[in-house]
Amino acid sequence: MELEHRHGRARPAVDEGLERAERTKPIPQSVPARMRFLLKGAKGSTKQLAQDLDVSRRTVQRWLKGQGTPKPAATKAIEQKVRATWQPRVKQRVRKAAEMNGFTLHISGTFGFDAGPNSTDDPRERLLENLRMPGSVSQALYAARDRGATQAEQEEILANGLRDHYFRAGGGRGVAKVALNSLNWMDLEL
């Protein structure tokens, strides 16, 4: 599910939001720069890189020089290989810190409630920014991502975290369950 960012560009789903927040610097943008990065991982072997990408060695050499443009499928394969190996130690450190200290959530969506007597459960649009979520929510989101949870399962984890740490903050409101009826945009800061 693609989420719309408040400024109009598409935002990825929750698990991709975690991945994006883990990066300290963006992946290389040009094909030659991405190819140079992948070549380092292949220990300088254009032959090995060609095998990894399932293209000819000459094609790898051309892409390294910026000659020719890969087809969309090849461009996507190159990007996926770069993302898979980009800053692994940084990702591990950031994940560990997030699981201990939590993250900051910025979210806009329609929230519904199962609430106590004399209260309304009608969903309504809310904008929640700079909401500090605890490490337990980070742990649950990472565990869900690791096991390949669906977007709906990840949204449920966020909704439970919001219930416990926003809607029940200070011991107030008897909200039993929070549902994300629609998600306009969200961003995570680790």
Side-chain angles (χ1 to χ4, degrees):
M1 173 176 150
E2 290 289 307
L3 305 177
E4 188 70 15
H5 186 267
R6 59 184 147 186
H7 300 298
R9 38 178 219 264
R11 283 293 200 190
V14 176
D15 60 335
E16 291 178 12
L18 281 172
E19 182 182 321
R20 185 182 64 253
E22 291 172 335
R23 288 188 218 111
T24 59
K25 64 181 194 177
I27 67 169
Q29 294 300 306
S30 70
V31 171
R34 288 178 179 178
M35 293 298 291
R36 286 190 297 273
F37 173 77
L38 292 174
L39 187 62
K40 287 179 189 175
K43 298 180 181 161
S45 170
T46 54
K47 181 179 180 180
Q48 179 63 44
L49 184 54
Q51 288 174 348
D52 291 346
L53 294 173
D54 197 28
V55 295
S56 73
R57 189 174 189 178
R58 179 66 189 126
T59 299
V60 166
Q61 292 167 344
R62 282 195 330 252
W63 290 346
L64 280 164
K65 293 178 183 177
Q67 298 171 344
T69 304
K71 293 181 181 176
T75 301
K76 187 173 183 174
I78 292 167
E79 181 179 351
Q80 288 174 341
K81 288 197 178 294
V82 170
R83 284 191 190 283
T85 57
W86 187 248
Q87 299 183 314
R89 289 185 299 250
V90 172
K91 286 181 181 182
Q92 290 169 355
R93 274 195 317 268
V94 169
R95 178 177 176 161
K96 186 176 180 180
E99 288 178 338
M100 288 180 62
N101 306 321
F103 61 91
T104 302
L105 176 65
H106 311 281
I107 190 167
S108 172
T110 304
F111 297 88
F113 308 94
D114 287 341
N118 299 325
S119 66
T120 180
D121 61 356
D122 289 336
R124 64 180 173 167
E125 184 82 22
R126 288 186 185 260
L127 170 64
L128 308 175
E129 293 196 278
N130 299 317
L131 181 60
R132 192 75 191 150
M133 301 300 284
S136 59
V137 176
S138 296
Q139 290 169 359
L141 285 173
Y142 277 116
R145 183 178 78 171
D146 292 347
R147 74 172 186 277
T150 65
Q151 174 71 15
E153 292 170 314
Q154 293 174 26
E155 286 179 8
E156 185 175 339
I157 292 168
L158 275 178
N160 290 335
L162 288 167
R163 177 197 65 210
D164 296 340
H165 301 285
Y166 177 74
F167 293 104
R168 286 189 185 165
R173 301 186 203 150
V175 176
K177 184 176 181 184
V178 173
L180 290 173
N181 298 67
S182 70
L183 196 52
N184 299 330
W185 61 264
M186 65 162 283
D187 205 3
L188 303 171
E189 290 178 39
L190 303 178

